[in-house]
Amino acid sequence: MAEEKSQASSSKMLTLKASDGVLFEVELNIAKEMKTVQAYIDDCEDIETIPIPNVLGKHLAIVIEYIKKTNEEYDAEFEKQWNMDDLQLLLLAANYLNISGLQECLCKAIAKRIENKSPEYVRKVFNIENDHSPEEEAKLRKEYKWAFEGVDKD
Amino acid sequence: MQKTNLLESGSIMKRSKSKKTALASQNVYDCVATGHEDRLGDMPDCILHHILSFMETRHAIRTCGLSKRWRYIWTSIPCLYFNSKSFTRLVDFKKFVLWVLSHRDNSHVKVLIYYRFGVDYATDQYLFNKVIEYAALHGVQEIRINLRAKTSGCPPIEIPLPLFTCQSLKRLELKDCQPTNISSPFGCKSLDTLHLEHFSMFPTAADFSNPFASLSELFGFTTLTALHLNNFALCYTGMECLDPFAKCFNLKILQLSEMSFKSDLSPKDFVISAPKLSNLSLICNRFRCKIVVASPKLLNFTYLYSTPCAFFEYSLPSLDGLIIDIHELPEPLEKSHRNKREETLHGLINMLRGHHKAEAVKLSFCTVAVTCGAAALEKPECLSYSKWKSLDFGVGSTYKIFINKLDHITAYFRNCSQHVDFEIVNI
C-alpha cells in the first residue's frame, strides 16, 4: 500500500529534521499522521523541511516506522523491543508529535511494566526522587495499607 | 490506523496551551535524552493519567507514595477499573470500591470497568448501584461490566436507572448477567456501541415471542451504530420470520457469535435487514433456520461456520464493493452435511447470478472452495450476462489438497464474465 501511494502523483514528499540534524524523507500521508506536523503544514503550505526539535533521529526513525506498519499484530509486538528508557522517550515524542495511536500503545506498554511493582522499583525505573519524609511515608503506608499488599517481587 | 481509544490522548487538551507546554516538553526531552532527570514525573498530568488508566485502580493508587508530586495524581485518573479478582475477599473489594468513590476528586470519569466475580447466585446490588450512580454523575462515556458468578453464571441484577438516563454514555458492555428490568422508558439515548455477552433476560422480563424485542426495549437499539451479541440462547415462539434489526436505523456494524435458538423454538427465517448495515459478522452460531442477508448497504460479510444446518439466502440490491469472507471448520464430509453445504454455497452462487451488473466482487473462501467449484460445475448455466471485471479470490492455504480444483473454479468464474481482461487475483 505504501508503494502504491508513493507512485501516485498526489503523494508529495516531505523532509523531517530531527533534533540531532538527522533528515527523514517521508510521504505526505505518513507525515500527516503526526498531528503536530499536520498543523505545521496547514500553517505554512509550501514548507519542505520541517524541524522536529524535540525528537532525536533514532526515535523519529522508530516513530515513522510505526506509522507505516501499524496494525494489531505489529502493535502487539512493537513495545517488546524497547527498554524502559526508550519507551519513555518514544512516549514523549509521540505526545509532542500528537500521534494518538502510538501514544496509546506506549502508555499501555509502560503501564504493563509497572503495574504491580513496588514504589521503590517504580522510582528507580523512572528516576523519581522520593521527597517524602520518613514520617509522611509511614503515614501513607498505613492509610493505603491494602494498596501495598500483594506487590510483585522486584 | 484504526484504534479503539480507551481514552483520548491528553495532547488535544494540551494543544490549547501550545507554546508553554511545547517548551516544557522540549526541556523534558532534553533532560531525558541526557538520562539524568526524572522523566515520567516531568510529563504533564494528562500523560501520567493516560498510563495509569491502563491499570486496575488498586495498582494506580500505589503511585501516591512515589513522591510529593505523585501524592494526589491518582484522584483524577479518568478511569475506574475495579476487579474483584485482585482481592482475597469480596468484602474487602466492596470496602475498597466505596473508599475510592469517596476519596476521588470530582473530576470526570471517562471509563468505568467493574468486574465482580461473585461466588453465589446473588450479586451485590447496593455496590453496583453506587458505582453506576457515581460514574453516571461524572460523565462516564464507556462502561464495561462483568458479573460472572462461580456457581450460577449469570446472576440476576437490576440495572440502575442512572445508567439509562446517563446522557454521556456511548459504549456499554455487559457480560454474565440477567437484568430483571422489564423495560426502560429511556433506553440509553446516546448509546453508540452495545456489547452483550453471555447474557440473558430474567425469565419474567423476557418476551419470548421476540427475544430481541426485550433487549431493544431495554437498551433502545435505534441509536446504536455497533452491536455485538455473544453467547445467548434465544427462544422464538412466533410463526413468522424474525427481522429484529429492521428498525435499527443507525446500525452499521453487527456481530452475532455463539448464538442459538433453544430446541425447536426457532423462526422459519432469520432476516438481517438493518438499513445502514455495512459490516456483518456471523461467527460460530448454531442457527437451524434459514438466514436471509438483506441489508442493502452491506460492504463486508464474514461468516465463520459451525453447524451444518445453516443456509443462506441473499437479498442484496448491489454487490459493488462487497467483500464476502466465508470460513468453514474442517469436518468430515458426511453426505447430509455435504448437501447442506451445497445449499449454503448455492445461496452464494444464486446471489452472484443475480448480480451480474456488479463490477468488482471480492470473495474469499477457506475449505468451501472445492465444494463451491464442484457444485457450480454441476449446474450448467453460467452467469452469461455478468459484467464482472475482477474477482479477488482467496483460498485458504491449509487446504492445499484441494488446490488442483482451483483451476476449475477460476475457469468457472472466468467463463461468467464478459470481459476479456477479467482478472482473478489469488490472495
Side-chain angles (χ1 to χ4, degrees):
Chain A
M1 209 168 90
E3 275 163 35
E4 282 174 25
K5 284 194 172 150
S6 62
Q7 279 157 28
S9 56
S10 57
S11 185
K12 191 180 151 200
M13 299 297 277
L14 218 61
T15 306
L16 300 177
K17 183 172 171 190
S19 61
D20 49 2
V22 182
L23 298 172
F24 295 90
E25 228 196 342
V26 291
E27 289 116 3
L28 188 62
N29 59 303
I30 304 285
K32 277 180 168 188
E33 294 291 334
M34 309 180 203
K35 302 241 161 51
T36 305
V37 171
Q38 169 78 78
Y40 206 109
I41 298 173
D42 289 343
D43 279 344
C44 347
E45 273 173 23
D46 286 332
I47 198 86
E48 284 197 2
T49 304
I50 298 178
I52 313 278
N54 287 13
V55 187
L56 283 172
K58 137 179 173 178
H59 295 117
L60 191 53
I62 297 170
V63 167
I64 292 170
E65 174 113 351
Y66 175 89
I67 295 174
K68 285 184 182 165
K69 293 194 177 164
T70 180
N71 61 34
E72 261 181 59
E73 269 181 60
Y74 182 80
D75 287 9
E77 298 299 305
F78 176 75
E79 58 93 3
K80 293 182 186 166
Q81 323 165 47
W82 317 116
N83 63 29
M84 200 43 120
D85 291 354
D86 281 325
L87 279 186
Q88 290 177 74
L89 292 169
L90 286 169
L91 177 55
L92 285 170
N95 182 255
Y96 173 72
L97 293 168
N98 202 343
I99 308 167
S100 57
L102 179 56
Q103 178 164 333
E104 176 106 348
C105 179
L106 292 167
C107 283
K108 213 184 213 178
I110 294 176
K112 277 256 136 13
R113 293 193 196 190
I114 61 171
E115 216 163 25
N116 204 23
K117 298 285 194 279
S118 67
E120 290 77 24
Y121 180 90
V122 176
R123 276 191 210 115
K124 198 171 78 177
V125 157
F126 297 127
N127 219 7
I128 298 175
E129 195 197 312
N130 184 4
D131 52 0
H132 284 306
S133 70
E135 298 82 29
E136 279 172 339
E137 204 167 335
K139 190 169 162 231
L140 273 175
R141 280 203 177 249
K142 197 171 162 200
E143 197 181 330
Y144 292 77
K145 181 168 59 141
W146 35 260
F148 294 97
E149 283 167 12
V151 168
D152 286 350
K153 286 231 168 329
D154 288 355
Chain B
M1 290 206 306
Q2 287 303 103
K3 284 270 182 297
T4 42
N5 279 339
L6 185 61
L7 286 189
E8 272 166 34
S9 136
S11 335
I12 316 280
M13 279 178 347
K14 222 179 90 170
R15 286 299 136 235
S16 57
K17 314 181 215 155
S18 52
K19 270 217 169 105
K20 198 164 147 207
T21 43
L23 283 174
S25 294
Q26 181 164 11
N27 290 337
V28 178
Y29 190 84
D30 287 342
C31 295
V32 172
T34 60
H36 293 305
E37 296 298 315
D38 172 1
R39 308 157 193 200
L40 203 63
D42 279 344
M43 292 193 199
D45 282 7
C46 55
I47 301 190
L48 301 182
H49 285 155
H50 199 173
I51 295 173
L52 296 176
S53 67
F54 287 107
M55 298 181 201
E56 285 181 34
T57 302
R58 181 167 168 257
H59 298 155
I61 293 187
R62 280 201 201 120
T63 57
C64 65
L66 291 176
S67 72
K68 283 189 165 46
R69 194 254 165 135
W70 282 84
R71 178 80 175 81
Y72 295 107
I73 296 227
W74 76 268
T75 60
S76 42
I77 302 171
C79 170
L80 288 173
Y81 184 168
F82 298 123
N83 184 351
S84 71
K85 277 201 172 139
S86 303
F87 294 81
T88 25
R89 302 182 306 163
L90 282 173
V91 65
D92 291 331
F93 173 68
K94 181 171 186 164
K95 278 193 203 157
F96 171 72
V97 171
L98 294 172
W99 185 92
V100 170
L101 297 185
S102 59
H103 284 75
R104 207 179 158 275
D105 74 5
N106 254 323
S107 63
H108 90 145
V109 176
K110 208 162 181 194
V111 180
L112 166 67
I113 301 174
Y114 179 77
Y115 294 159
R116 184 186 181 279
F117 299 106
V119 176
D120 39 28
Y121 188 60
T123 189
D124 191 333
Q125 184 74 58
Y126 171 80
L127 188 59
F128 188 61
N129 290 350
K130 279 277 169 221
V131 168
I132 298 289
E133 191 177 46
Y134 183 92
L137 269 173
H138 289 81
V140 69
Q141 292 181 27
E142 178 176 342
I143 296 183
R144 305 213 288 241
I145 295 169
N146 187 331
L147 298 176
R148 186 175 320 134
K150 215 160 156 184
T151 51
S152 85
C154 303
I157 188 86
E158 188 182 323
I159 299 181
L161 200 59
L163 189 143
F164 295 114
T165 54
C166 178
Q167 300 297 325
S168 51
L169 188 63
K170 294 211 183 86
R171 296 174 62 107
L172 176 61
E173 187 180 291
L174 280 176
K175 293 189 189 181
D176 281 293
C177 53
Q178 284 188 60
T180 54
N181 318 57
I182 293 179
S183 70
S184 151
F186 310 101
C188 291
K189 292 242 158 22
S190 342
L191 203 61
D192 195 77
T193 301
L194 178 63
H195 188 137
L196 301 176
E197 193 174 305
H198 207 200
F199 191 89
S200 52
M201 297 298 293
F202 197 68
T204 52
D207 171 7
F208 282 132
S209 66
N210 184 343
F212 292 99
S214 341
L215 291 178
S216 169
E217 264 186 57
L218 195 54
F219 297 105
F221 276 5
T222 50
T223 55
L224 293 179
T225 55
L227 176 62
H228 298 252
L229 299 176
N230 176 293
N231 207 334
F232 283 44
L234 304 161
C235 303
Y236 180 68
T237 55
M239 297 302 282
E240 321 264 300
C241 64
L242 181 59
D243 189 358
F245 309 108
K247 296 231 170 77
C248 296
F249 301 118
N250 291 298
L251 196 65
K252 294 217 174 86
I253 299 172
L254 176 63
Q255 181 175 303
L256 301 177
S257 50
E258 297 178 83
M259 310 274 282
S260 59
F261 286 97
K262 281 187 184 144
S263 57
D264 291 326
L265 299 170
S266 66
K268 188 161 147 282
D269 296 346
F270 183 35
V271 181
I272 299 175
S273 72
K276 279 196 186 157
L277 194 66
S278 67
N279 272 284
L280 174 61
S281 305
L282 299 178
I283 298 175
C284 297
N285 296 295
R286 290 178 284 280
F287 294 134
R288 289 175 140 62
C289 53
K290 183 160 79 171
I291 301 169
V292 179
V293 179
S295 306
K297 298 247 161 56
L298 198 64
L299 287 178
N300 270 284
F301 175 42
T302 303
Y303 174 66
L304 182 63
Y305 161 112
S306 68
T307 56
C309 300
F311 50 100
F312 285 98
E313 194 179 284
Y314 298 84
S315 173
L316 302 170
S318 151
L319 272 198
D320 278 318
L322 178 63
I323 297 174
I324 300 178
D325 188 10
I326 297 188
H327 295 250
E328 287 192 349
L329 300 176
E331 274 180 75
L333 279 174
E334 290 168 36
K335 189 110 207 289
S336 57
H337 289 192
R338 207 184 305 156
N339 289 339
K340 285 294 176 192
R341 271 193 200 176
E342 285 177 2
E343 285 217 43
T344 305
L345 304 167
H346 287 176
L348 193 59
I349 291 168
N350 286 333
M351 172 186 65
L352 297 176
R353 282 204 182 91
H355 288 284
H356 45 262
K357 291 200 179 110
E359 291 201 349
V361 181
K362 183 171 171 180
L363 299 167
S364 74
F365 297 90
C366 285
T367 77
V368 180
V370 173
T371 330
C372 169
L377 294 172
E378 280 163 26
K379 304 252 166 188
E381 323 95 82
C382 300
L383 294 155
S384 44
Y385 302 110
S386 167
K387 284 193 176 153
W388 290 356
K389 278 192 184 149
S390 71
L391 174 67
D392 290 341
F393 191 72
V395 179
S397 59
T398 12
Y399 301 97
K400 287 198 173 95
I401 53 169
F402 298 129
I403 290 291
N404 62 345
K405 295 271 192 181
L406 192 56
D407 291 343
H408 289 169
I409 296 163
T410 54
Y412 170 76
F413 284 113
R414 198 179 287 283
N415 284 338
C416 296
S417 166
Q418 285 185 308
H419 286 263
V420 168
D421 56 352
F422 180 72
E423 202 184 320
I424 297 183
V425 177
N426 285 354
I427 302 165

